[in-house]
Amino acid sequence: MWFILLFISIFATGILELRWSGVGIEDWWRNEQFWVIGGTSAHLFAVFQGLLKVLAGIDTNFTVTSKASDDDGDFAELYVFKWTSLLIPPTTVLVVNLVGMVAGVSYAVNSGYQSWGPLFGKLFFSIWVIVHLYPFLKGLLGRTNRTPTIVIVWSILLASIFSLLWVRIDPFTSPTQKAAAAGQCGINC
């Protein structure tokens, strides 16, 4: 509940900034989507490249080339933009949220009435992330015959690893509850 209240206060601050600056709601929403998509793809890679340069001394190269079309020329491979690795993190975030929504609803159906309350907060945040990444998802699914298979494979692999780590860590269960579930009951059971 606290996270939802915090989220609403951040959202209200954004609305107030929107009103004071004179920017329209549609422009504000596109800006929000841009920052979420950029933050999960290009900005993330820029941070990793900066860390590699500072910590490991690995320098990244940037070659300035002509923007003229040279499809059949000697330098045609220079004009190909290799963006496959930039698609993997946002696709992974989408897969994790979609799988989390399905797993949460199935858990709530199996656990009964008391599990539906916490589920709504989790669904709210998952839907918020998916709505922010909707233009990315639309572009990715709109090019089904051009989407690289490696993006889907890596995203599903990373989503599986993150999900298994989340299940293993289980941050919402106290050590007492974990010990009781394992059958090692002490004084506090």
Side-chain angles (χ1 to χ4, degrees), residues 66-127:
S66 171
K67 301 297 181 223
S69 176
D70 191 18
D71 295 335
D72 298 327
D74 296 332
F75 302 106
E77 71 275 355
L78 291 177
Y79 304 120
V80 176
F81 180 60
K82 298 186 180 185
W83 45 267
T84 304
S85 59
L86 292 175
L87 294 177
I88 294 172
T91 307
T92 303
V93 169
L94 281 168
V95 169
V96 165
N97 280 288
L98 290 171
V99 169
M101 287 175 57
V102 171
V105 169
S106 67
Y107 177 77
V109 167
N110 290 332
S111 296
Y113 179 74
Q114 71 277 4
S115 62
W116 284 97
L119 175 68
F120 287 123
K122 294 172 186 175
L123 285 177
F124 176 76
F125 285 113
S126 289
I127 290 170

Side-chain angles (χ1 to χ4, degrees), residues 88-175:
I88 294 172
T91 307
T92 303
V93 169
L94 281 168
V95 169
V96 165
N97 280 288
L98 290 171
V99 169
M101 287 175 57
V102 171
V105 169
S106 67
Y107 177 77
V109 167
N110 290 332
S111 296
Y113 179 74
Q114 71 277 4
S115 62
W116 284 97
L119 175 68
F120 287 123
K122 294 172 186 175
L123 285 177
F124 176 76
F125 285 113
S126 289
I127 290 170
W128 188 253
V129 169
I130 291 169
V131 167
H132 270 87
L133 290 172
Y134 176 72
F136 174 81
L137 181 64
K138 186 177 174 184
L140 188 68
L141 295 178
R143 302 175 147 216
T144 53
N145 37 340
R146 295 190 65 190
T147 302
T149 307
I150 195 72
V151 170
I152 304 300
V153 170
W154 271 105
S155 295
I156 291 173
L157 178 68
L158 286 173
S160 300
I161 290 170
F162 291 145
S163 298
L164 290 173
L165 282 173
W166 184 261
V167 168
R168 177 69 177 124
I169 294 170
D170 198 10
F172 296 116
T173 306
S174 69

Side-chain angles (χ1 to χ4, degrees), residues 52-72:
L52 282 175
K53 185 175 184 179
V54 170
L55 298 176
I58 299 172
D59 195 14
T60 56
N61 296 329
F62 179 73
T63 306
V64 178
T65 59
S66 171
K67 301 297 181 223
S69 176
D70 191 18
D71 295 335
D72 298 327

